[in-house]
Amino acid sequence: MAGLIIRNLYKTFNINNKEVNALSNINLTIEDGSFVTIVGKSGCGKTTLLRAICGLEKVTKGNMEFTKGSNEKNISKRVGIVFQEPRLMPWLTVEQNMAFPLLKSDDKEAVHDIVHKYLEMLGLENFKDAYPNQISGGMAQRVALGRTLCYDPEIILMDEPLGALDAFNRRKLQNEFINIFTENKKTIIFVTHDVEEAIYLGQKIVVFDKGSVRSEIPVSLDYYRDTTSLEFLKLREEILGLLLA
């Protein structure tokens, strides 16, 4: 696996001939094998940061450096992303969608084993032949996650992947993410605007505000976390205080 060091990162957009800083002087260390949540209001630069990390957005200034992991220099080979929308291909089955990143592999038996490992892990074995329009939103998001896991990136980015789900499915998938993290020791960077979700999942919470890192808060609570505990509620009030200041 790999971690990530971000140094003096800026991203500027030109809007109506005016420069707008989407990211300003970001300095952040993501430890190898850690689960980091980034929380902040809508429009504060969280998604722009993820897009910069995975190479979808060219930064204006600053640099990023992988720590540990492979010697692969191609960012797309080292980083996988799960978007808010599953973005499945409607003409492919659940199994085929998950296998898509491995399409060029000549080892069909290995592909089969990898895909079925994650079908089983995510509880999708009985739906492997279903098409996206035949499954629920929560299941579609699990397929999107499975597709990323099949790709086997060193760092997984998640951009508010549970934003469109009801509370029941949201908590169910949060627990799936924790299971995958603890079992696979992937480095995960998870963006959300939900403070409770950030505390429930993260080992470290990065509070974002107006394109900058406002605070980094370590979380010492064990999984699975009691959202009604005093420690949890104190963290919630601390983060809300930072966001509302």
Side-chain angles (χ1 to χ4, degrees), residues 38-167:
I38 300 176
V39 66
K41 300 173 186 176
S42 296
C44 71
K46 306 185 302 296
T47 294
T48 302
L49 179 61
L50 287 198
R51 289 176 59 84
I53 291 172
C54 67
L56 293 176
E57 201 73 67
K58 187 177 180 180
V59 301
T60 306
K61 188 167 64 173
N63 63 78
M64 292 178 285
E65 177 187 341
F66 290 103
T67 61
K68 298 185 180 181
S70 71
N71 294 320
E72 175 63 63
K73 294 182 179 180
N74 187 347
I75 289 178
S76 67
K77 296 290 186 182
R78 305 192 69 175
V79 178
I81 187 165
V82 181
F83 296 98
Q84 184 170 355
E85 312 83 20
R87 301 190 181 186
L88 303 181
M89 286 163 279
W91 59 90
L92 298 181
T93 65
V94 164
E95 183 177 13
Q96 290 166 339
N97 266 286
M98 286 176 57
F100 190 78
L102 307 174
L103 196 63
K104 294 181 179 180
S105 173
D106 293 325
D107 192 340
K108 301 306 178 186
E109 185 176 344
V111 170
H112 177 273
D113 290 345
I114 291 168
V115 173
H116 278 259
K117 170 187 173 182
Y118 290 114
L119 281 169
E120 183 176 356
M121 178 184 292
L122 295 168
L124 293 166
E125 318 98 293
N126 295 331
F127 299 90
K128 64 184 182 69
D129 296 320
Y131 288 90
N133 66 349
Q134 297 173 320
I135 59 178
S136 68
M139 291 175 68
Q141 200 58 272
R142 272 186 275 163
V143 177
L145 176 60
R147 179 177 57 196
T148 298
L149 290 170
C150 286
Y151 186 53
D152 196 29
E154 296 172 11
I155 299 175
I156 298 177
L157 310 178
M158 297 191 185
D159 188 10
E160 301 196 39
L162 308 181
L165 300 184
D166 59 76

Side-chain angles (χ1 to χ4, degrees), residues 159-177:
D159 188 10
E160 301 196 39
L162 308 181
L165 300 184
D166 59 76
F168 173 78
N169 279 305
R170 193 180 186 112
R171 179 49 52 84
K172 188 175 180 180
L173 272 178
Q174 286 170 350
N175 289 335
E176 290 286 358
F177 293 157

Side-chain angles (χ1 to χ4, degrees), residues 195-214:
V195 173
E196 184 173 298
E197 181 169 74
I199 302 168
Y200 191 74
L201 294 174
Q203 294 179 320
K204 178 169 76 172
I205 301 168
V206 178
V207 181
F208 241 57
D209 184 42
K210 297 178 182 176
S212 299
V213 174
R214 181 76 182 272

Side-chain angles (χ1 to χ4, degrees), residues 231-245:
E231 295 85 352
F232 194 102
L233 294 174
K234 281 182 177 178
L235 278 170
R236 182 176 178 273
E237 290 308 306
E238 180 182 354
I239 294 167
L240 283 173
L242 288 168
L243 292 172
L244 296 173

